Amino acid sequence: MKQITPCLWFEEEAEQAAKFYVSVFGGKSRILQVTRYGDGQPGRKGSVLTVVFTLNGQKYVGLNGGPHDAFNDAVSFYIECKTQKEIDQYWRKLSKGGKEIQCGWLRDRYGVRWQVVPANIHRLIDAKHPERAARVMQAVRGMVKLDVAQLERAYRG
């Protein structure tokens, strides 16, 4: 089976972004390859064209394609965190220089959108328990960074 590799289009900061993401996720995250523009290519000779990197073992490509469409909410990366400490850690690192949005969403300094959520969020908002799910969703809508303890309290009523 072929691996699907997301490609992120940056204006000119693909290498800086990849280094930043690798530092945030650590572990199995690393830069695998950097390619540069050469003679006869549309970019400045020697400048970065692509960066291939992994985050926790998932492969990505960063492309410096120049100004085009900016990142938007239509695509985001979803981080399931086991603890509030993990949520706080990713939130602090990814939002630095970016923008905290709402409902566990943030935009990092490169414009990429992230959802930083507790790993049990699907259990908390499961429609099998509509009253509980409604309380949790109401709590989520009132938060910027998600608070696991508050969501659990909302679930319990």
Side-chain angles (χ1 to χ4, degrees):
M1 181 167 198
K2 295 284 185 193
Q3 180 179 4
I4 297 171
T5 304
C7 180
L8 304 173
W9 182 301
F10 295 91
E11 188 168 333
E12 58 184 25
E13 60 278 335
E15 185 173 29
Q16 298 93 317
K19 286 178 179 178
F20 171 67
Y21 300 140
V22 166
S23 77
V24 168
F25 291 94
K28 295 180 184 176
S29 305
R30 63 184 184 276
I31 305 287
L32 300 175
Q33 181 180 20
V34 177
T35 61
R36 301 189 179 279
Y37 283 104
D39 288 327
Q41 294 179 326
R44 191 179 73 254
K45 183 178 179 179
S47 66
V48 173
L49 170 61
T50 63
V51 180
V52 180
F53 60 103
T54 62
L55 301 178
N56 290 338
Q58 167 66 49
K59 186 174 166 184
Y60 295 83
V61 174
L63 167 70
N64 282 337
H68 194 54
D69 291 327
F71 295 112
N72 63 51
D73 292 336
V75 174
S76 63
F77 293 103
Y78 190 88
I79 307 170
E80 288 187 356
C81 300
K82 293 180 183 176
T83 65
Q84 186 66 49
K85 184 177 178 180
E86 275 189 326
I87 289 173
D88 295 345
Q89 171 190 344
Y90 287 119
W91 190 268
R92 180 178 35 80
K93 290 177 179 180
L94 289 168
S95 67
K96 185 177 182 180
K99 182 180 180 187
E100 297 177 348
I101 302 173
Q102 185 179 351
C103 303
W105 286 64
L106 64 87
R107 183 176 65 226
D108 71 25
R109 66 181 81 167
Y110 300 102
V112 175
R113 282 22 175 219
W114 298 85
Q115 296 180 61
V116 185
V117 301
N120 67 346
I121 192 69
H122 298 290
R123 177 183 64 82
L124 298 175
I125 61 173
D126 191 336
K128 293 177 190 173
H129 307 286
E131 292 168 3
R132 290 178 173 185
R135 287 192 305 264
V136 172
M137 287 305 294
Q138 183 177 353
V140 166
R141 286 191 299 271
M143 296 179 191
V144 177
K145 178 179 68 172
L146 299 184
D147 182 301
V148 175
Q150 283 185 4
L151 296 175
E152 287 285 349
R153 281 194 298 276
Y155 182 80
R156 290 188 307 270

